[in-house]
Amino acid sequence: MAKRVLIVDDAAFMRMLLKDIITKAGYEVVGEAANGVEAVEKYKELKPDVVTMDITMPEMNGIEAIKKIREFAPDAKIIVCSAMGQQAMVIEAIQAGAKDFIVKPFQHTRVVEALQKIN
């Protein structure tokens, strides 16, 4: 079972919320990133089992970050986090290589389900 998670979201509150859900479910949060550029750097450095990736972020959005990560880690397991009304972006993220998606505001059970399903 994948245990090491990298959380990527430009909102510190969302990262905190996800970290709480993920750690309570028995996973280890190995790092956090606030934008796509940081996400790519942290992925290379930490080599997490799973990434939760926000779509809309400054500097580099989640879709671009997914593409960059998958260039050097084609088997990367990435779960997209999106707000309601971003269906087109979610589809684009899945096409870019994301394995699943969760919708904000996060439901505890859905986050855990996505993590378990991706293993």
Side-chain angles (χ1 to χ4, degrees):
M1 181 165 117
K3 284 283 184 186
R4 303 171 68 255
V5 184
L6 171 64
I7 298 173
V8 184
D9 199 302
D10 59 328
F13 175 75
M14 285 298 169
R15 292 195 308 272
M16 188 181 74
L17 201 65
L18 267 175
K19 186 174 185 173
D20 185 56
I21 292 169
I22 290 166
T23 52
K24 283 181 179 168
Y27 295 83
E28 178 191 359
V29 174
V30 292
E32 297 180 20
N35 62 55
V37 174
E38 280 182 25
V40 174
E41 289 169 5
K42 295 256 182 175
Y43 190 95
K44 287 178 180 175
E45 175 193 334
L46 302 168
K47 297 174 180 55
D49 298 317
V50 183
V51 179
T52 64
M53 180 78 70
D54 187 20
I55 294 179
T56 311
M57 296 181 291
E59 293 187 54
M60 181 192 295
N61 70 32
I63 293 165
E64 286 304 310
I66 290 168
K67 290 175 182 172
K68 290 244 186 280
I69 288 170
R70 288 183 53 88
E71 281 174 16
F72 61 85
D75 57 346
K77 294 182 172 107
I78 302 168
I79 300 169
V80 173
C81 305
S82 75
M84 292 296 249
Q86 290 185 319
Q87 286 90 335
M89 287 179 149
V90 168
I91 291 166
E92 194 178 339
I94 299 286
Q95 289 169 339
K99 303 288 184 205
D100 201 351
F101 69 94
I102 49 180
V103 179
K104 298 175 185 177
F106 301 118
Q107 290 183 306
H108 186 282
T109 53
R110 179 65 189 106
V111 174
V112 175
E113 177 190 301
L115 286 167
Q116 289 171 341
K117 195 166 83 174
I118 208 162
N119 295 319

